[in-house]
Amino acid sequence: MKKNVLKKVSAGLLAAAIITGSFPANVFAEKGSYELDYIINNPYETVDWKNQHQYKADFHAHSKNSDGGNYTYEMVEDHYKKGYDILAMTDHNYTTKGWENAGEGSVSPERKAEIESGAGRNGRGMLDFSYSNEQSRTDHINTFLTDWNNSSPASMENTLREIEERGGISHINHMGRYTGYKTSDPANDPSQISKYVNLLDTFRSCVGVEIINKIDNESRYDRILWDNILQKTLPEGRQVWGFANDDTHSLNATGYSFNMMLMPELSIDATRNAMEKGTFYSVSRVSRVDGINSTLPNGNPMPGSGNSSTTYLLDQATPSISNISVDQKENSLSVEGKDYTTVEWIADGKVIATGNTIDLNDYEDQVNSYVRAQLKSETGIAFTQPFSLTIQEPEEIDVKQIESKKNQANINFDILSPNGKGYAVFLSETGETGSFEKYNNVNYNRKGAHIKGLAKGKTYYVYIAFVEDNAITEKTDIVSFTTGR
């Protein structure tokens, strides 16, 4: 209770009436009496699903300027042919300052202009997301929009710091390569989780991590690691977006995993904004832990990267998302799309619901800091970004005075309806979370609540709540008093 409120309680009553603490948010979740009210942070809130475009992006590709098997112009032409709208050439420790400036196999200025204008694609151009680099002298990090290259000795901290200080952005690549990917154990290892949480907390210009790399070999458990990271970062307000990239080193290895950027226009600034704000979703043709294209048609294992034996996958349909809506009042989220057979909703790394819509109040005991959705079919999977969640705390009701007698007590406050409509009194003999029960032997008047039928000489813990649409919108602190003998 506020200090000015305490002054209104008479000295004789203070000994019997004690403010014991704030309302425990999970009381109703435990008892199931009322619904929690969530604030849903929707990264897609600004997306105009009907009128904005979805731009297909690869933020991880290599050429002969590092260890790729093809020239830059071949990689550009291949992505253009396969329907990409955005391409970042991220050669190892080599900043590509525009396709036309690549050291090996550059794109001619004339051809680049044609590609940017959409020649042969009905005016649908492809963007050169230039000044990109895969910093590889430590755990690999893709950096964007910055003319800088790390040098030995290097560390992830130094790389991320240098990019941040220069105004660039970044994302962390194929974490499973460094944590281990033969089993899921490393993805659940607290030391591994802390490694990435600490980096992401420190360097906010690092916008996310790859959750799919190539055709999901080394990255097969990186979605588990991502979920574990989110459980640590989201309660502190730090979002971490999930990317899917081909990490392509050859033409046959292009087209298996990509990002669909939801933007009003195709530009460098719009792409950066989408990467920072999470206005995109990620798609993969392979998810090994989900059994999606985890083997070749002849039963042989799927190779680690796309090659001539996997190009049949490029003809298969993949799930897409056409709309995401959030109903803050109803605490629900809905997703729509095409070419999927099921929608799964994930919280804390576990599937808690299926179907196009989730009502968070149906899963209060399983939902904590976020939910995300994934749309699945036999031939692909699409991942939304996480929707972070916080519980809407009720407004405070100030208790003005507490009067306790032998078998009754008065809790006086600024009551809105003297007949008590909408109010409820909750009583406990211990004050422990989850022990409060609704108490009905109550009369209301213009001063507040008159609680009857109490035992003599007993200590009670009480709070009063105002209920609207089956949710607590206002409440008092928990108060304690002892009846007379």
Side-chain angles (χ1 to χ4, degrees):
M1 179 181 287
K2 297 178 180 178
K3 291 182 180 179
N4 63 338
V5 177
L6 282 172
K7 291 179 181 178
K8 296 179 181 179
V9 182
S10 66
L13 295 173
L14 281 175
I18 303 171
I19 304 302
T20 63
S22 298
F23 170 79
N26 61 342
V27 163
F28 297 114
E30 292 180 11
K31 288 296 181 183
S33 302
Y34 297 102
E35 295 179 341
L36 296 177
D37 190 14
Y38 292 94
I39 299 173
I40 306 169
N41 179 21
N42 177 14
Y44 305 102
E45 184 176 5
T46 61
V47 175
D48 182 349
W49 289 92
K50 291 184 178 180
N51 299 309
Q52 285 185 197
H53 297 288
Q54 299 197 23
Y55 297 102
K56 185 177 181 179
D58 183 3
F59 295 114
H60 196 167
H62 299 278
S63 73
K64 287 190 174 183
N65 287 293
S66 59
D67 60 346
N70 299 91
Y71 291 108
T72 297
Y73 75 84
E74 293 177 304
M75 296 303 299
V76 171
E77 294 288 358
D78 186 57
H79 280 78
Y80 194 59
K81 178 182 177 182
K82 290 175 178 174
Y84 281 83
D85 303 289
I86 303 167
L87 173 61
M89 292 302 302
T90 55
D91 279 301
H92 296 280
N93 307 311
Y94 177 90
T95 301
T96 301
K97 305 173 185 178
W99 302 332
E100 74 280 18
N101 298 314
E104 292 284 343
S106 62
V107 178
S108 72
E110 296 78 14
R111 181 54 182 159
K112 181 177 179 179
E114 290 179 344
I115 291 173
E116 289 179 329
S117 65
R121 292 205 322 184
N122 296 317
R124 181 183 162 202
M126 187 168 76
L127 179 69
D128 178 4
F129 201 60
S130 55
Y131 287 86
S132 301
N133 185 325
E134 184 172 22
Q135 312 282 352
S136 306
R137 292 188 174 94
T138 180
D139 291 11
H140 295 188
I141 299 170
N142 271 4
T143 61
F144 307 97
L145 306 175
T146 310
D147 185 9
W148 180 79
N149 187 43
N150 62 7
S151 58
S152 298
S155 68
M156 296 183 75
E157 292 85 350
N158 181 65
T159 297
L160 293 172
R161 181 179 297 107
E162 291 286 348
I163 294 303
E164 185 158 287
E165 290 177 352
R166 286 166 168 77
I169 59 174
S170 61
H171 70 52
I172 297 172
N173 298 342
H174 41 64
M175 298 178 292
R177 178 177 300 181
Y178 313 108
T179 62
Y181 61 93
K182 299 301 183 183
T183 71
S184 62
D185 291 345
N188 291 305
D189 183 342
S191 65
Q192 297 290 356
I193 297 165
S194 295
K195 166 186 172 180
Y196 293 104
V197 167
N198 291 337
L199 288 169
L200 291 159
D201 277 344
T202 303
F203 303 105
R204 297 302 177 101
S205 61
C206 184
V207 295
V209 298
E210 281 186 341
I211 57 171
I212 294 282
N213 177 268
K214 298 183 180 179
I215 51 177
D216 197 34
N217 184 30
E218 294 173 330
S219 65
R220 66 185 67 186
Y221 296 115
D222 284 350
R223 271 87 71 204
I224 295 176
L225 182 52
W226 182 39
D227 281 313
N228 283 324
I229 291 169
L230 291 173
Q231 290 174 62
K232 299 292 186 181
T233 61
L234 283 178
E236 304 301 320
R238 172 60 159 117
Q239 267 285 14
V240 179
W241 310 125
F243 290 82
N245 292 312
D246 273 325
D247 189 2
T248 182
H249 287 70
S250 67
L251 303 187
N252 284 336
T254 301
Y256 302 91
S257 54
F258 46 89
N259 308 281
M260 298 304 295
M261 315 304 289
L262 308 168
M263 310 188 305
E265 63 178 13
L266 183 61
S267 69
I268 295 290
D269 287 344
T271 302
R272 175 175 182 151
N273 183 67
M275 294 173 76
E276 291 178 323
K277 303 299 184 183
T279 50
F280 66 97
Y281 63 93
S282 301
V283 183
S284 178
R285 300 181 185 278
V286 177
S287 179
R288 297 182 190 241
V289 295
D290 293 291
I292 299 172
N293 283 323
S294 56
T295 62
L296 294 171
N298 60 10
N300 289 339
M302 186 64 65
S305 181
N307 58 36
S308 59
S309 71
T310 64
T311 54
Y312 72 93
L313 296 173
L314 303 180
D315 296 324
Q316 297 178 346
T318 52
S320 63
I321 299 175
S322 59
N323 188 56
I324 293 174
S325 58
V326 171
D327 190 325
Q328 295 282 359
K329 184 176 181 180
E330 297 297 327
N331 296 317
S332 66
L333 304 92
S334 298
V335 62
E336 302 171 36
K338 296 191 303 182
D339 298 317
Y340 66 90
T341 55
T342 187
V343 177
E344 296 177 339
W345 295 92
I346 312 294
D348 290 358
K350 299 179 178 62
V351 178
I352 63 168
T354 58
N356 292 81
T357 299
I358 182 173
D359 184 335
L360 298 176
N361 295 122
D362 292 337
Y363 303 94
E364 290 180 1
D365 58 337
Q366 300 175 70
V367 169
N368 289 299
S369 58
Y370 76 99
V371 293
R372 63 177 180 85
Q374 50 191 35
L375 289 70
K376 297 168 62 175
S377 72
E378 292 183 354
T379 55
I381 185 169
F383 306 89
T384 72
Q385 300 303 335
F387 301 82
S388 61
L389 307 171
T390 54
I391 295 173
Q392 177 69 62
E393 294 294 342
E395 296 291 328
E396 181 182 359
I397 298 175
D398 286 336
V399 175
K400 292 186 173 182
Q401 190 177 42
I402 304 170
E403 301 173 312
S404 61
K405 301 178 181 179
K406 289 183 178 180
N407 301 101
Q408 56 192 292
N410 293 319
I411 311 294
N412 297 336
F413 59 94
D414 287 330
I415 190 169
L416 297 177
S417 54
N419 63 1
K421 183 178 181 180
Y423 288 96
V425 171
F426 293 86
L427 196 69
S428 168
E429 295 182 5
T430 65
E432 296 178 357
T433 297
S435 67
F436 288 82
E437 299 278 359
K438 186 177 179 181
Y439 190 75
N440 295 317
N441 195 1
V442 180
N443 289 335
Y444 295 91
N445 53 51
R446 61 184 179 84
K447 291 185 178 181
H450 177 58
I451 307 172
K452 302 180 295 181
L454 303 174
K456 297 178 183 179
K458 196 164 191 176
T459 298
Y460 291 95
Y461 300 82
V462 175
Y463 64 82
I464 299 171
F466 185 78
V467 181
E468 189 173 14
D469 293 330
N470 203 40
I472 300 297
T473 59
E474 297 181 50
K475 51 111 184 143
T476 68
D477 283 337
I478 299 171
V479 297
S480 173
F481 60 83
T482 301
T483 56
R485 294 186 179 276

